[in-house]
Amino acid sequence: MAKNQRDELVFVPLGGVGEIGMNMGAYGFGPEASRKWIVVDCGVTFGGPDLPGIELIMANPEFLEERADDVLALILTHSHEDHYGAVLDLWPGFEKPVYCTPFTAAMLAAKRAGDGIVENVDVTIMRPGKPFEVGPFTIEAINVAHSIPESNALLISTPVGRVLHTGDWKLDPTPVGNAPTDVERLKKIGEDRSTPLALICDSTNALKDGESPSEAEVAANLAAMIAESPNRVAVTTFASNVGRVISIVRAAEKAGRTVVMSGRSLHRITGIARELGMLEGLPPLLDQDAYKTLARNKIVLICTGSQGEARAAIARIARGEHPVIELAAGDRMIFSSWAIPGNEREVIDIQNLLIDKGVEVITQSDGLVHVTGHPRREELRRLYEWLKPDVLIPVHGEAVHLTAHAKLGRDSGIANVIEARNGDLVRLFPETLAFPGEVRTGELYLDGLVLCTPEESGVKGRRRLSFGGHVVVSLCVNGGGQVVSGPDLVIEGLPETEDESLSELVEDTVAGVLKSMPPKRRSDTEVLNSALFKAIRNEVNAYWGRKPNVSVFVHRV
């Protein structure tokens, strides 16, 4: 059957549609056999306890690699890790340009320098309100409020239809350190009915009613909490939230306090912000070495570690391991953040350590000290009203968020609502239609310095070792079945009690097997290996209740 020769605009989510994180989407235009592609965002998510040793996870770009000659560019909406964190791992091989704002470009350069990455990408600066062309696509960045500077939605125009790809956004009339969402431009896009419009939209807060509070409200609360504290005040937040840092610095200055920062990412990002003129008019931010020189009631500490990272500043402070900084009874610690799902336990553990020291810990449950950068349901409704989209595809969320967003869109009267998932191909225009599972997709793991598929990683083996420990037995036998060396034992991860040692149990088991076998059978290395393996597993299981991982090496000499 011949492939369709008409021009079509299609959308292929490769990551971030069905999970939070590793956002990557592809837009194709042209006849089916000769489409040209652009990619929007290239992010990561973080490995959890179920993936031992895996730090980062990113979308597998195999679909794009198979069409590399027709992939034209990567456009980044902003520089949060879940949107740009995989660029230096995945994009250099394409040798195609990356379009982004000055702040995102500086963040990429800092990441490359800080991580010692050799590969580089060709960056072209884009600016809101100034459309540019990439092959058959005309792209315009539109400023939106979010929790990091220079966040953008993208208007992607083609002859058959347009897309408004929101990226991460919210409607905040009084953001700090950023311009508000360009509502007038969004309204004008909705007024233009020359070609149909698809809305590819953030679903993170689609379960929450009302509107997101403003960053200015958080700033006011932080100012009050800092002003009323009689002793030290420490605040931890996302290092990339430059607006929040500005609010803290302004509050400290108003209260007659000096700001000290601890954490490499804070220094790196505030350095970028200062170079780009975002911190004009603010006092200097001192390094942690100044901490002990300041009076207890004249200091505000901003530190990293809001997600419970073990090596970050606040975790080291809580454990009493920081070389310079300590918090004591009567000091105040504000968590101006929320725990990303999966990090709750680590954050709570740090808070408990601080509470045990007599530190007053303040979190979201005590007052408005944090807001996210994502729209709630009323904000989504208002966007629908302005844009009047012909098609809605919820993205940036787990199944529960995507489903709630889709229902909201239908209830709001949007004609075509597509509930897509990673690997689907959606023809947006003409004649909107979804093709579920059309594209092979998946994940890549960053395992140390190695980028690999889940199947190539050693995660399954690590899980087995973490559950069952490891017993290694090595010995040498000669042709007559006599043991001429060993047995040597290595045992890792098995319990040792005062009553009985598992090491002794394994030694006795090996000795029993050797004694029970006639010399001729002992000389057969395969037979001896199998007998030792089974006996050790069974004896340890009978004692411990778990079958260990066993490796037996029988050498013939």
Side-chain angles (χ1 to χ4, degrees):
M1 184 176 178
K3 291 189 175 181
N4 196 337
Q5 294 303 305
R6 68 179 178 179
D7 285 339
E8 296 178 336
L9 176 60
V10 300
F11 171 58
V12 177
L14 299 173
V17 186
E19 71 266 311
I20 300 288
M22 67 176 197
N23 296 283
M24 178 184 271
Y27 291 94
F29 178 78
E32 184 177 355
S34 57
R35 287 180 182 136
K36 300 298 181 182
W37 296 87
I38 57 171
V39 182
V40 175
D41 288 335
C42 185
V44 299
T45 190
F46 299 93
D50 59 322
L51 297 174
I54 303 302
E55 294 184 10
L56 299 176
I57 307 169
M58 55 200 77
N60 191 329
E62 182 180 1
F63 170 78
L64 300 172
E65 291 169 345
E66 293 170 351
R67 297 157 176 79
D69 290 343
D70 294 319
V71 175
L72 305 179
L74 168 65
I75 301 97
L76 300 177
T77 59
H78 64 289
S79 53
H80 273 148
E81 289 292 331
D82 60 329
H83 289 260
Y84 97 126
V87 171
L88 294 173
D89 293 296
L90 299 183
W91 197 252
F94 286 92
E95 298 183 343
K96 300 294 174 64
V98 176
Y99 290 85
C100 61
T101 65
F103 183 83
T104 299
M107 290 283 281
L108 268 177
K111 176 187 282 287
R112 180 171 179 259
D115 294 347
I117 297 172
V118 176
E119 293 82 2
N120 202 2
V121 292
D122 177 21
V123 172
T124 300
I125 297 298
M126 68 179 187
R127 300 186 186 277
K130 296 189 176 181
F132 57 95
E133 293 185 359
V134 178
F137 302 92
T138 299
I139 301 162
E140 179 188 348
I142 300 165
N143 188 81
V144 293
H146 187 46
S147 52
I148 194 169
E150 297 183 357
S151 296
N152 294 275
L154 300 174
L155 177 63
I156 302 168
S157 301
T158 72
V160 300
R162 298 166 298 153
V163 174
L164 195 287
H165 185 109
T166 67
D168 292 0
W169 68 284
K170 64 184 290 189
L171 295 178
D172 187 341
T174 53
V176 177
N178 300 301
T181 295
D182 191 346
V183 172
E184 292 307 311
R185 182 68 186 111
L186 295 175
K187 289 180 178 178
K188 288 181 180 178
I189 291 169
E191 292 169 1
D192 178 4
R193 309 311 296 172
S194 60
T195 55
L197 177 68
L199 174 60
I200 313 297
C201 189
D202 180 357
S203 306
T204 311
N205 278 345
L207 293 166
K208 295 184 178 180
D209 289 322
E211 298 185 20
S212 298
S214 172
E215 191 66 36
E217 297 176 59
V218 175
N221 285 344
L222 290 174
M225 291 177 182
I226 289 171
E228 70 187 18
S229 179
N231 297 310
R232 300 184 190 97
V233 178
V235 187
T236 185
T237 189
F238 295 99
S240 60
N241 196 334
V242 174
R244 189 71 50 79
V245 172
I246 291 172
S247 295
I248 297 166
V249 175
R250 286 174 177 167
E253 185 178 28
K254 187 176 181 181
R257 294 175 179 248
T258 299
V259 173
V260 171
M261 292 197 309
S262 180
R264 284 180 296 177
S265 59
L266 266 171
H267 282 283
R268 182 176 71 249
I269 295 171
T270 55
I272 292 170
R274 192 173 291 280
E275 287 178 10
L276 295 175
M278 298 176 180
L279 304 185
E280 288 185 3
L282 295 182
L285 309 179
L286 304 185
D287 188 39
Q288 63 186 29
D289 292 337
Y291 184 81
K292 290 186 176 179
T293 68
L294 297 168
R296 197 174 175 189
N297 64 344
K298 294 295 182 182
I299 188 170
V300 171
L301 169 69
I302 307 177
C303 55
T304 56
S306 66
Q307 297 308 299
E309 303 94 329
R311 293 174 291 179
I314 189 56
R316 298 170 69 196
I317 294 167
R319 296 194 301 265
E321 298 173 359
H322 198 284
V324 178
I325 297 170
E326 63 178 8
L327 293 175
D331 292 338
R332 173 172 284 183
M333 178 72 227
I334 302 171
F335 281 77
S336 185
S337 56
W338 66 295
I340 294 171
N343 296 342
E344 296 92 344
R345 184 67 261 166
E346 289 82 358
V347 173
I348 291 170
D349 288 344
I350 289 171
Q351 292 171 352
N352 283 328
L353 287 172
L354 292 167
I355 291 168
D356 278 342
K357 293 176 181 289
V359 175
E360 179 190 12
V361 172
I362 295 176
T363 70
Q364 287 185 94
S365 61
D366 301 303
L368 184 63
V369 295
H370 179 66
V371 290
T372 70
H374 302 275
R376 295 186 181 182
R377 293 168 69 85
E378 185 56 36
E379 293 162 273
L380 291 170
R381 290 190 187 98
R382 289 168 68 184
L383 185 65
Y384 303 158
E385 291 172 6
W386 298 332
L387 292 176
K388 305 175 185 65
D390 302 277
V391 177
L392 168 67
I393 301 181
V395 297
H396 201 291
E398 298 173 355
V400 63
H401 308 104
L402 303 177
T403 300
H405 190 173
K407 184 177 186 303
L408 182 67
R410 291 190 186 98
D411 292 346
S412 300
I414 298 175
N416 280 311
V417 178
I418 305 295
E419 295 191 49
R421 296 293 186 272
N422 295 334
D424 292 355
L425 185 148
V426 181
R427 184 176 66 216
L428 298 173
F429 308 114
E431 300 171 9
T432 304
L433 185 64
F435 300 87
E438 183 76 5
V439 170
R440 186 167 54 192
T441 187
E443 298 174 344
L444 292 180
Y445 294 165
L446 187 61
D447 189 349
L449 299 176
V450 177
L451 198 61
C452 55
T453 65
E455 294 74 24
E456 293 167 340
S457 74
V459 166
K460 287 185 178 179
R462 291 172 206 164
R463 288 195 193 118
R464 288 197 301 269
L465 288 171
S466 69
F467 183 77
H470 197 196
V471 178
V472 181
V473 178
S474 177
L475 68 157
C476 299
V477 296
N478 61 19
Q482 295 175 309
V483 177
V484 296
S485 178
D488 296 318
L489 305 180
V490 177
I491 298 177
E492 292 285 352
L494 276 69
E496 296 284 346
T497 67
E498 294 181 2
D499 297 334
E500 185 172 357
S501 166
L502 272 173
S503 300
E504 294 176 0
L505 175 65
V506 173
E507 290 173 358
D508 293 344
T509 300
V510 171
V513 170
L514 293 173
K515 185 177 181 180
S516 67
M517 295 180 71
K520 186 175 181 179
R521 287 180 60 78
R522 286 202 304 265
S523 66
D524 186 328
T525 57
E526 290 188 9
V527 171
L528 180 55
N529 190 309
S530 177
L532 287 170
F533 177 88
K534 291 177 181 177
I536 293 168
R537 288 253 293 179
N538 290 337
E539 288 298 321
V540 172
N541 183 47
Y543 172 78
W544 187 28
R546 291 182 180 176
K547 292 181 179 179
N549 299 284
V550 177
S551 298
V552 179
F553 301 95
V554 179
H555 310 279
R556 179 78 174 268
V557 295

